[in-house]
Amino acid sequence: MLFPSYRPRRLRKTKSIRKIIQETDLSVSDFIYPMFVIPGNGVKEEITSMPGIFRYSIDNTIKEIKEIKELGIQAVLLFGIPEKKDEHGSEGYNENGIIQKALRKIKEEIKDILLITDVCMCEYTSHGHCGIVKDGEVENDETLQYLGRMALSHAKAGADIVAPSDMMDGRVGVIREVLDENGFQNVAIMSYSAKYASAFYGPFREAAHSTPLFGDRHGYQMDPPNIREALREISLDIQEGADIVMIKPALSYLDVIKAAKEEFDYPIAAYSVSGEYSMVKAAGRLGWVDETKLMMEILTSIKRAGADIIITYFAKDAASILNPSKR
Ligand code: PBG
């Protein structure tokens, strides 16, 4: 049927008619809220390039989690910023490291919050790379045992899901094996499967003090022009035992999310990273865009592309739009 008998505008006439044919539903239960945990007490430091996002000491992390739960957010992704860093990132697998302590405390005080931890060396190494460095190179195979140890220490401290973000080859398999050998068959792995070497991570590196001292991450993170390679990476992670696969960043990689959704029958997560957040906040502050509308449009597009789960610094802001009564 063609114009004038068919008129698509009929279904756009009112809010209620638009709502009834809406194809994509964004929901607070899709969100994972990333948080940065630092040593100390009573600390809450705003990250300059990410207004509204803070580094919290453990006590304040707990307060903040209680607040986001009120908004209906049910999952957090924790990043630790240690007191000291060394070549082997040993604070990353220390039983009394910042993340391990935080996990135990949160578990003690809060019920029903899904605790996910970032498993990567870069926040803990003095050189800021995501693995063990030898002769200026990040050593893949040697790094794996450290990642295994780190994941295990998180599981022991109470992590429900571990999320390896280092992009070493074979790490999902090694982590699965270490967890299973130690009785943590029920701790899931959300793998950063297709993680691109992206300039969108800039603000995060300020937040986590994790800028590499030399070189860059192109030797392990993926090259932005590639999509078939992303599907290979995802397929490998699934074969190695990943339960949830992730694409990161989100906004510039919606095609990758869509392709992954079509190809794999696994839950797909998308990480809307720091730079995506900062751009919107900055333009909003300048008065050049409507920050709130832009945020909702971007999050909706990530969901529409096929993400089942969205990791986003906007989780709180978006939750209060989606559930205004809880604001
Ligand atoms: C750790 C890690 C990074 C991010 C998540 N985990 C930084 C990086 O790889 O340099 C980036 C998240 C963001 O930008 O919000 N490897």
PDB file of all heavy atoms in Angstrom, residues 116-136:
ATOM      1  N   ILE A 116      30.543  -7.140  40.011  1.00  0.00           N
ATOM      2  CA  ILE A 116      31.367  -7.527  38.863  1.00  0.00           C
ATOM      3  C   ILE A 116      32.708  -6.813  39.020  1.00  0.00           C
ATOM      4  O   ILE A 116      32.738  -5.638  39.415  1.00  0.00           O
ATOM      5  CB  ILE A 116      30.683  -7.093  37.547  1.00  0.00           C
ATOM      6  CG1 ILE A 116      29.223  -7.549  37.541  1.00  0.00           C
ATOM      7  CG2 ILE A 116      31.434  -7.622  36.336  1.00  0.00           C
ATOM      8  CD1 ILE A 116      28.405  -6.963  36.416  1.00  0.00           C
ATOM      9  N   THR A 117      33.793  -7.506  38.754  1.00  0.00           N
ATOM     10  CA  THR A 117      35.091  -6.844  38.912  1.00  0.00           C
ATOM     11  C   THR A 117      35.861  -6.847  37.603  1.00  0.00           C
ATOM     12  O   THR A 117      35.844  -7.818  36.852  1.00  0.00           O
ATOM     13  CB  THR A 117      35.950  -7.568  39.969  1.00  0.00           C
ATOM     14  OG1 THR A 117      36.069  -8.944  39.617  1.00  0.00           O
ATOM     15  CG2 THR A 117      35.335  -7.437  41.343  1.00  0.00           C
ATOM     16  N   ASP A 118      36.527  -5.737  37.343  1.00  0.00           N
ATOM     17  CA  ASP A 118      37.426  -5.642  36.201  1.00  0.00           C
ATOM     18  C   ASP A 118      38.693  -6.408  36.551  1.00  0.00           C
ATOM     19  O   ASP A 118      39.293  -6.179  37.595  1.00  0.00           O
ATOM     20  CB  ASP A 118      37.748  -4.173  35.935  1.00  0.00           C
ATOM     21  CG  ASP A 118      38.553  -3.972  34.664  1.00  0.00           C
ATOM     22  OD1 ASP A 118      37.944  -3.948  33.583  1.00  0.00           O
ATOM     23  OD2 ASP A 118      39.785  -3.831  34.750  1.00  0.00           O
ATOM     24  N   VAL A 119      39.071  -7.343  35.682  1.00  0.00           N
ATOM     25  CA  VAL A 119      40.307  -8.098  35.908  1.00  0.00           C
ATOM     26  C   VAL A 119      41.321  -7.636  34.872  1.00  0.00           C
ATOM     27  O   VAL A 119      41.196  -7.946  33.691  1.00  0.00           O
ATOM     28  CB  VAL A 119      40.064  -9.618  35.789  1.00  0.00           C
ATOM     29  CG1 VAL A 119      41.370 -10.380  35.856  1.00  0.00           C
ATOM     30  CG2 VAL A 119      39.109 -10.085  36.885  1.00  0.00           C
ATOM     31  N   CYS A 120      42.275  -6.827  35.315  1.00  0.00           N
ATOM     32  CA  CYS A 120      43.293  -6.301  34.401  1.00  0.00           C
ATOM     33  C   CYS A 120      44.446  -5.778  35.234  1.00  0.00           C
ATOM     34  O   CYS A 120      44.260  -5.359  36.380  1.00  0.00           O
ATOM     35  CB  CYS A 120      42.712  -5.183  33.545  1.00  0.00           C
ATOM     36  SG  CYS A 120      43.824  -4.702  32.207  1.00  0.00           S
ATOM     37  N   MET A 121      45.629  -5.776  34.640  1.00  0.00           N
ATOM     38  CA  MET A 121      46.810  -5.369  35.398  1.00  0.00           C
ATOM     39  C   MET A 121      47.044  -3.855  35.384  1.00  0.00           C
ATOM     40  O   MET A 121      47.764  -3.329  36.218  1.00  0.00           O
ATOM     41  CB  MET A 121      48.070  -6.019  34.800  1.00  0.00           C
ATOM     42  CG  MET A 121      47.968  -7.492  34.496  1.00  0.00           C
ATOM     43  SD  MET A 121      48.102  -8.514  35.950  1.00  0.00           S
ATOM     44  CE  MET A 121      49.784  -8.201  36.421  1.00  0.00           C
ATOM     45  N   CYS A 122      46.460  -3.147  34.418  1.00  0.00           N
ATOM     46  CA  CYS A 122      46.922  -1.778  34.157  1.00  0.00           C
ATOM     47  C   CYS A 122      46.704  -0.809  35.318  1.00  0.00           C
ATOM     48  O   CYS A 122      47.460   0.143  35.467  1.00  0.00           O
ATOM     49  CB  CYS A 122      46.326  -1.228  32.868  1.00  0.00           C
ATOM     50  SG  CYS A 122      44.557  -0.963  32.934  1.00  0.00           S
ATOM     51  N   GLU A 123      45.699  -1.060  36.150  1.00  0.00           N
ATOM     52  CA  GLU A 123      45.535  -0.160  37.302  1.00  0.00           C
ATOM     53  C   GLU A 123      46.581  -0.442  38.384  1.00  0.00           C
ATOM     54  O   GLU A 123      46.753   0.355  39.292  1.00  0.00           O
ATOM     55  CB  GLU A 123      44.146  -0.314  37.943  1.00  0.00           C
ATOM     56  CG  GLU A 123      42.995   0.077  37.038  1.00  0.00           C
ATOM     57  CD  GLU A 123      42.133  -1.124  36.684  1.00  0.00           C
ATOM     58  OE1 GLU A 123      41.305  -1.561  37.489  1.00  0.00           O
ATOM     59  OE2 GLU A 123      42.320  -1.632  35.557  1.00  0.00           O
ATOM     60  N   TYR A 124      47.232  -1.593  38.281  1.00  0.00           N
ATOM     61  CA  TYR A 124      48.116  -2.038  39.366  1.00  0.00           C
ATOM     62  C   TYR A 124      49.602  -2.047  39.002  1.00  0.00           C
ATOM     63  O   TYR A 124      50.451  -2.195  39.862  1.00  0.00           O
ATOM     64  CB  TYR A 124      47.694  -3.445  39.820  1.00  0.00           C
ATOM     65  CG  TYR A 124      46.241  -3.489  40.245  1.00  0.00           C
ATOM     66  CD1 TYR A 124      45.243  -3.895  39.364  1.00  0.00           C
ATOM     67  CD2 TYR A 124      45.867  -3.073  41.524  1.00  0.00           C
ATOM     68  CE1 TYR A 124      43.904  -3.900  39.758  1.00  0.00           C
ATOM     69  CE2 TYR A 124      44.536  -3.087  41.923  1.00  0.00           C
ATOM     70  CZ  TYR A 124      43.555  -3.500  41.021  1.00  0.00           C
ATOM     71  OH  TYR A 124      42.243  -3.506  41.402  1.00  0.00           O
ATOM     72  N   THR A 125      49.906  -1.936  37.700  1.00  0.00           N
ATOM     73  CA  THR A 125      51.317  -1.985  37.303  1.00  0.00           C
ATOM     74  C   THR A 125      51.912  -0.584  37.254  1.00  0.00           C
ATOM     75  O   THR A 125      51.244   0.380  36.883  1.00  0.00           O
ATOM     76  CB  THR A 125      51.490  -2.640  35.901  1.00  0.00           C
ATOM     77  OG1 THR A 125      50.600  -1.994  34.981  1.00  0.00           O
ATOM     78  CG2 THR A 125      51.188  -4.128  35.944  1.00  0.00           C
ATOM     79  N   SER A 126      53.216  -0.506  37.622  1.00  0.00           N
ATOM     80  CA  SER A 126      53.895   0.787  37.631  1.00  0.00           C
ATOM     81  C   SER A 126      54.035   1.347  36.208  1.00  0.00           C
ATOM     82  O   SER A 126      54.028   2.554  36.016  1.00  0.00           O
ATOM     83  CB  SER A 126      55.274   0.644  38.276  1.00  0.00           C
ATOM     84  OG  SER A 126      55.882  -0.559  37.869  1.00  0.00           O
ATOM     85  N   HIS A 127      54.116   0.465  35.207  1.00  0.00           N
ATOM     86  CA  HIS A 127      54.254   0.941  33.823  1.00  0.00           C
ATOM     87  C   HIS A 127      52.907   1.200  33.162  1.00  0.00           C
ATOM     88  O   HIS A 127      52.843   1.754  32.074  1.00  0.00           O
ATOM     89  CB  HIS A 127      55.067  -0.060  32.998  1.00  0.00           C
ATOM     90  CG  HIS A 127      54.672  -1.485  33.225  1.00  0.00           C
ATOM     91  ND1 HIS A 127      53.465  -1.991  32.794  1.00  0.00           N
ATOM     92  CD2 HIS A 127      55.287  -2.494  33.885  1.00  0.00           C
ATOM     93  CE1 HIS A 127      53.369  -3.264  33.162  1.00  0.00           C
ATOM     94  NE2 HIS A 127      54.469  -3.597  33.837  1.00  0.00           N
ATOM     95  N   GLY A 128      51.817   0.763  33.799  1.00  0.00           N
ATOM     96  CA  GLY A 128      50.482   1.061  33.276  1.00  0.00           C
ATOM     97  C   GLY A 128      50.021   0.175  32.129  1.00  0.00           C
ATOM     98  O   GLY A 128      48.964   0.417  31.537  1.00  0.00           O
ATOM     99  N   HIS A 129      50.797  -0.876  31.805  1.00  0.00           N
ATOM    100  CA  HIS A 129      50.332  -1.799  30.757  1.00  0.00           C
ATOM    101  C   HIS A 129      49.468  -2.900  31.372  1.00  0.00           C
ATOM    102  O   HIS A 129      49.503  -3.131  32.584  1.00  0.00           O
ATOM    103  CB  HIS A 129      51.509  -2.380  29.981  1.00  0.00           C
ATOM    104  CG  HIS A 129      51.969  -1.470  28.880  1.00  0.00           C
ATOM    105  ND1 HIS A 129      51.217  -1.239  27.751  1.00  0.00           N
ATOM    106  CD2 HIS A 129      53.080  -0.694  28.769  1.00  0.00           C
ATOM    107  CE1 HIS A 129      51.854  -0.379  26.973  1.00  0.00           C
ATOM    108  NE2 HIS A 129      52.983  -0.021  27.566  1.00  0.00           N
ATOM    109  N   CYS A 130      48.728  -3.590  30.504  1.00  0.00           N
ATOM    110  CA  CYS A 130      47.745  -4.563  30.981  1.00  0.00           C
ATOM    111  C   CYS A 130      48.354  -5.943  31.210  1.00  0.00           C
ATOM    112  O   CYS A 130      47.634  -6.937  31.302  1.00  0.00           O
ATOM    113  CB  CYS A 130      46.590  -4.655  29.990  1.00  0.00           C
ATOM    114  SG  CYS A 130      45.768  -3.076  29.742  1.00  0.00           S
ATOM    115  N   GLY A 131      49.678  -6.029  31.255  1.00  0.00           N
ATOM    116  CA  GLY A 131      50.311  -7.325  31.478  1.00  0.00           C
ATOM    117  C   GLY A 131      51.730  -7.152  31.971  1.00  0.00           C
ATOM    118  O   GLY A 131      52.166  -6.031  32.268  1.00  0.00           O
ATOM    119  N   ILE A 132      52.443  -8.279  32.037  1.00  0.00           N
ATOM    120  CA  ILE A 132      53.834  -8.268  32.469  1.00  0.00           C
ATOM    121  C   ILE A 132      54.704  -7.812  31.298  1.00  0.00           C
ATOM    122  O   ILE A 132      54.557  -8.312  30.184  1.00  0.00           O
ATOM    123  CB  ILE A 132      54.248  -9.698  32.915  1.00  0.00           C
ATOM    124  CG1 ILE A 132      53.327 -10.199  34.033  1.00  0.00           C
ATOM    125  CG2 ILE A 132      55.714  -9.755  33.317  1.00  0.00           C
ATOM    126  CD1 ILE A 132      53.304  -9.349  35.275  1.00  0.00           C
ATOM    127  N   VAL A 133      55.572  -6.849  31.553  1.00  0.00           N
ATOM    128  CA  VAL A 133      56.396  -6.299  30.473  1.00  0.00           C
ATOM    129  C   VAL A 133      57.813  -6.877  30.538  1.00  0.00           C
ATOM    130  O   VAL A 133      58.423  -6.920  31.608  1.00  0.00           O
ATOM    131  CB  VAL A 133      56.442  -4.750  30.565  1.00  0.00           C
ATOM    132  CG1 VAL A 133      57.447  -4.177  29.574  1.00  0.00           C
ATOM    133  CG2 VAL A 133      55.055  -4.154  30.309  1.00  0.00           C
ATOM    134  N   LYS A 134      58.288  -7.350  29.366  1.00  0.00           N
ATOM    135  CA  LYS A 134      59.683  -7.821  29.252  1.00  0.00           C
ATOM    136  C   LYS A 134      60.273  -7.225  27.994  1.00  0.00           C
ATOM    137  O   LYS A 134      59.683  -7.351  26.927  1.00  0.00           O
ATOM    138  CB  LYS A 134      59.715  -9.351  29.163  1.00  0.00           C
ATOM    139  CG  LYS A 134      59.818  -9.986  30.526  1.00  0.00           C
ATOM    140  CD  LYS A 134      60.471 -11.356  30.451  1.00  0.00           C
ATOM    141  CE  LYS A 134      60.497 -11.954  31.840  1.00  0.00           C
ATOM    142  NZ  LYS A 134      59.946 -13.308  31.844  1.00  0.00           N
ATOM    143  N   ASP A 135      61.415  -6.583  28.130  1.00  0.00           N
ATOM    144  CA  ASP A 135      62.080  -5.927  26.993  1.00  0.00           C
ATOM    145  C   ASP A 135      61.099  -5.056  26.211  1.00  0.00           C
ATOM    146  O   ASP A 135      61.046  -5.111  24.978  1.00  0.00           O
ATOM    147  CB  ASP A 135      62.692  -6.969  26.029  1.00  0.00           C
ATOM    148  CG  ASP A 135      63.658  -7.904  26.733  1.00  0.00           C
ATOM    149  OD1 ASP A 135      64.359  -7.426  27.661  1.00  0.00           O
ATOM    150  OD2 ASP A 135      63.689  -9.107  26.398  1.00  0.00           O
ATOM    151  N   GLY A 136      60.323  -4.304  26.929  1.00  0.00           N
ATOM    152  CA  GLY A 136      59.426  -3.356  26.273  1.00  0.00           C
ATOM    153  C   GLY A 136      58.186  -3.976  25.632  1.00  0.00           C
ATOM    154  O   GLY A 136      57.409  -3.295  24.974  1.00  0.00           O
TER     155      GLY A 136
END
